[in-house]
């Protein structure tokens, strides 16, 4: 025979046990996920600040990714332009030696090799897209395939690139226009190769006409080298700027991550303490509930 107050008391204890189980489940979830809450609503007043920080973080992460991509592209530009400059230095040295010594053995092969380097650099690709083609992806920016083609092709027909430059948005209100076109980089150099091509095949000894052509080509290469190095210097300046903007984006990302972590991440030390206390509370509740279910008036009659 149960007491009058037994059933209401059991219900009260059952509700208390249910609340203890819910609290324990939340604490276990926080321990497993490392988060204070599983949705923004549960964060309360910090939810707006957290959502804003996450939005800003997404922008900074995207800008950092763009910065790394652009930095890689600019580094590829630098490699090709530097390689072309070195090739012209070697060609110029060999030509000057031939003029001074009048020994031109092997010079024709050096010219041919330099032209092939020139053509290869201007038609270089990144991800299957011509690097120096501007916005054109349907054709290679430099068309002549040999010195014979050079002699018959004016500069206006040799370059098929357009003048469109890529634009990268790297920060709020900050964009960087970058890229080098084949015509900007190679027109003056191309004229030097046209002069050499017009001189005809060069044998072991230079003719007077070939010697004059080499001297003219040397002057053209010197002029072209100034523009080539200026283009590479401008490319390097943009590379430095892009790297700086990328580093700033990464630094801002770290700050935003700290803000988000402060609002979302649980204190695992405190979670462990709460978990132990809640387990003890729940076990005590089970014990009390078991004792209540065994109470009846026959024990007191």
């Amino acid at each position: 025979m149960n007491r009058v107050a037994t059933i209401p008391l059991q219900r009260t204890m059952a509700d208390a046990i249910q609340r203890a189980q819910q609290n324990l489940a939340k604490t276990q979830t926080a321990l497993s996920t490392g988060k204070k809450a599983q949705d923004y609503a549960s964060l309360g007043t910090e939810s707006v600040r957290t959502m804003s920080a996450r939005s800003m973080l997404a922008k900074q992460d995207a800008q950092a990714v763009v910065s790394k991509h652009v930095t890689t592209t600019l580094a590829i530009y630098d490699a090709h332009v530097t390689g072309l400059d070195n090739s012209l230095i070697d060609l110029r040295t060999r030509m000057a030696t031939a003029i001074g010594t009048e020994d031109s053995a092997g010079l024709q092969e050096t010219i041919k090799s330099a032209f092939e380097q020139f053509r290869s650099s201007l038609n270089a690709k990144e991800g299957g897209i011509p690097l120096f083609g501007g916005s054109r992806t349907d054709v290679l920016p430099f068309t002549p395939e040999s010195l014979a083609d050079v002699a018959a092709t004016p500069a206006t027909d040799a370059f098929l690139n357009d003048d469109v430059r890529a634009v990268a948005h790297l920060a709020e209100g900050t964009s960087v226009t970058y890229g080098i076109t084949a015509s900007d980089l190679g027109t003056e150099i191309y004229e030097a190769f046209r002069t050499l091509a017009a001189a005809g095949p060069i044998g072991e000894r230079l003719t007077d006409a070939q010697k004059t052509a080499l001297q003219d080509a040397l002057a053209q290469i010197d002029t072209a080298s100034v523009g080539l190095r200026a283009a590479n210097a401008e490319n390097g300046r943009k590379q430095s700027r892009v790297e700086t903007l990328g580093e700033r984006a990464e630094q801002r990302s770290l700050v935003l991550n700290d803000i988000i972590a402060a609002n979302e991440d649980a204190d695992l030390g405190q979670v462990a303490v709460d978990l132990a206390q809640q387990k003890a509370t729940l076990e005590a509740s089970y014990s009390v509930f078991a004792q209540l279910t065994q109470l009846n008036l026959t024990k007191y009659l």
Side-chain angles (χ1 to χ4, degrees):
M1 182 171 55
N2 293 330
R3 297 181 306 140
V4 174
T6 297
I7 294 177
L9 187 57
Q10 288 177 343
R11 288 177 178 174
T12 300
M13 287 302 303
D15 290 341
I17 290 173
Q18 186 176 13
R19 287 194 298 272
Q21 289 173 332
Q22 290 173 347
N23 291 336
L24 181 60
K26 289 180 180 179
T27 303
Q28 289 175 328
T29 300
L31 183 63
S32 62
T33 63
K35 301 295 182 182
K36 294 178 182 178
Q38 304 308 307
D39 53 54
Y40 286 118
S42 302
L43 289 176
T45 57
E46 295 296 339
S47 61
V48 175
R49 187 179 184 185
T50 302
M51 292 174 68
S52 176
R54 282 201 171 277
S55 177
M56 294 173 64
L57 178 61
K59 289 182 180 180
Q60 298 304 319
D61 287 345
Q63 289 166 0
V65 170
V66 171
S67 174
K68 290 179 180 178
H69 174 75
V70 175
T71 298
T72 300
T73 300
L74 294 177
I76 296 173
Y77 275 120
D78 177 75
H80 285 290
V81 176
T82 300
L84 181 56
D85 187 30
N86 292 334
S87 176
L88 290 179
I89 290 174
D90 293 340
L91 175 60
R92 188 192 187 286
T93 301
R94 185 68 188 87
M95 288 168 58
T97 300
I99 293 172
T101 63
E102 297 186 354
D103 179 8
S104 56
L107 178 59
Q108 185 66 30
E109 288 301 317
T110 302
I111 296 172
K112 181 180 178 182
S113 176
F115 174 76
E116 290 175 351
Q117 172 69 40
F118 175 68
R119 182 176 184 277
S120 176
S121 294
L122 294 187
N123 287 335
K125 295 182 179 181
E126 180 192 11
I129 298 175
L131 194 64
F132 297 95
S135 67
R136 296 199 64 178
T137 60
D138 55 329
V139 294
L140 293 175
F142 183 70
T143 58
E145 297 184 359
S146 65
L147 285 173
D149 294 335
V150 170
T153 308
T156 52
D157 296 331
F159 298 95
L160 300 181
N161 60 274
D162 58 26
D163 293 325
V164 177
R165 303 293 197 281
V167 179
H169 300 283
L170 300 175
E172 194 70 29
T174 302
S175 299
V176 175
T177 301
Y178 66 98
I180 307 173
T181 64
S183 57
D184 285 346
L185 192 66
T187 298
E188 292 180 338
I189 302 172
Y190 183 72
E191 291 301 332
F193 280 115
R194 289 202 74 200
T195 300
L196 293 172
I202 298 175
E204 294 185 358
R205 292 293 176 181
L206 297 173
T207 65
D208 291 340
Q210 289 175 336
K211 188 173 183 179
T212 300
L214 289 180
Q215 290 171 339
D216 292 342
L218 277 178
Q220 290 172 323
I221 288 175
D222 288 340
T223 301
S225 294
V226 173
L228 185 68
R229 290 162 190 166
N232 204 21
E234 177 65 14
N235 182 75
R237 185 188 66 79
K238 290 182 179 180
Q239 186 175 359
S240 177
R241 185 185 181 199
V242 170
E243 288 176 350
T244 299
L245 292 172
E247 290 172 357
R248 290 176 182 174
E250 290 178 349
Q251 290 169 356
R252 287 191 289 267
S253 293
L254 292 175
V255 173
L256 292 170
N257 274 317
D258 288 341
I259 293 174
I260 293 171
N263 292 337
E264 292 186 356
D265 292 355
D267 182 348
L268 296 183
Q270 185 61 47
V271 168
V273 172
D274 292 344
L275 186 63
Q277 291 177 343
Q278 289 166 358
K279 282 184 176 180
T281 300
L282 185 59
E283 289 173 357
S285 298
Y286 286 149
S287 177
V288 172
F289 185 78
Q291 294 177 22
L292 287 174
T293 58
Q294 296 174 3
L295 291 176
N296 59 75
L297 289 176
T298 59
K299 293 183 179 180
Y300 300 96
L301 296 177

